[in-house]
Amino acid sequence: MFEHIVLRRATGGQPISAGYIAEALLYYQKLHLFVDRGTLFHLVKQIGTGGMLTLLSRSDVSAVYCEEVLATSTDSVGVSQYHNFVTFTLSGHKDAGELKSPADRLQYELERDGLPKKEAKQFSKEFLRRVPIRKFSGNYFVDGGISASARLDLLDTEYAKKAIRQAVAAMPGGYEVGDELNLEVIESNLGCFVFSNLNLDAINRRRSEASASVEPITIAHLLSNLQDARADMALASFYGGDFVTSEVTSSIIQVRHMELLRRANLNTTSRREFIEVVLPDSPSLAEVIDSGERTLDEFLLLLDKAARFKDWLKKVNPDENLVRSYMRDITSEGWIQRLPAKSLRYILTLGLDATNPVAGLAAGFIDNFVVEKLLSGWRPNHFVAGRLEPFIRGY
């Protein structure tokens, strides 16, 4: 059920955090990280360069790095704006001159973020040695590149209307636009002119009321969501597995490909319900790590003791609810558990006496240890109650 997960972004659109990674590693057999600049710099701040390299050294973790940024370029002709989807990479800075290689660019940005020069240089070299670079431009994920494909999406006006409608509804401060949305797209040599009856002022008022720190929404912002959704569709199709990205782009993807993220959404819901039922009133694993109550290093020690739990998760039927499977497996009895304790002791000690009289003297040991182990067996609640709950609750 929980085989392979690909993390692109947190559901709120933020960079991937150490807490998100911990939850994925606990439940899934394999984790693949699509690391962009935002996620890389966030993780370096959160767990350090050493923690990042430790994570990447694990056999159950793989990653690629994309330094390219997807954006929407907006210019004006008279009172009208035209837009183009673009992909760009930092090429240099007035203080550093031209930055020719990915290692140079990464080192420069890490230093600008406060990392000492020596550490930034060593990490950049080691990170890029371990993690291959992938590009949105070119033909690796989709022929012609992501930006060209996103332009075709925009020119499909009916799809673009549905996608923008979904994006407006999913973002904080948004609302259900309904069928009254009008959208006109005019392609030109300069770019695409986009006209809409969206009440952006009303949306931005709602957003500022919800959070004063959010940036105002513009047509360019909505078009960028369209391009991000095209990138995420390409990545989800390319890598397979459970693909996790922002709620806004997920809602756009479902306009055309509702089934593409269905299993990932089902598994996310299943994991949330599992914790709510099994560990009620507990914070999530991601919350305790991202809050600093626990570190990723502490979690990795816990993870090394979770092999049997993860093996149990692997065998859960995808057609069966995780909570139902858990409750069934912690209450079911095999033949060894159904035997009365006296009968089990008799069978074991009789077998020892018959094969080796001296070994029969070990019956006392059997009474005190072996029988109890055989009667109890291993069940998933042993890990949940014995290790996961103390870790999450902090005792």
Side-chain angles (χ1 to χ4, degrees), residues 168-228:
V168 171
M171 65 179 53
Y175 64 99
E176 296 288 343
V177 178
D179 295 332
E180 69 268 17
L181 173 63
N182 293 322
L183 183 71
E184 183 180 6
V185 180
I186 301 174
E187 187 179 24
S188 73
N189 292 331
L190 294 175
C192 292
F193 292 85
V194 180
F195 303 96
S196 167
N197 64 342
L198 273 175
N199 190 342
L200 295 176
D201 289 337
I203 295 175
N204 288 325
R205 279 196 300 272
R206 289 191 183 98
R207 285 172 60 80
S208 62
E209 290 170 0
S211 175
S213 62
V214 296
E215 61 179 342
I217 294 296
T218 64
I219 289 295
H221 186 106
L222 294 172
L223 296 185
S224 290
N225 286 328
L226 196 69
Q227 182 171 215
D228 285 338

Side-chain angles (χ1 to χ4, degrees), residues 10 49 66 84 92 101 138 148 166 187 263 340:
T49 56
C66 181
N84 286 286
S101 71
Q166 290 287 95
E187 187 179 24
R263 173 45 59 186

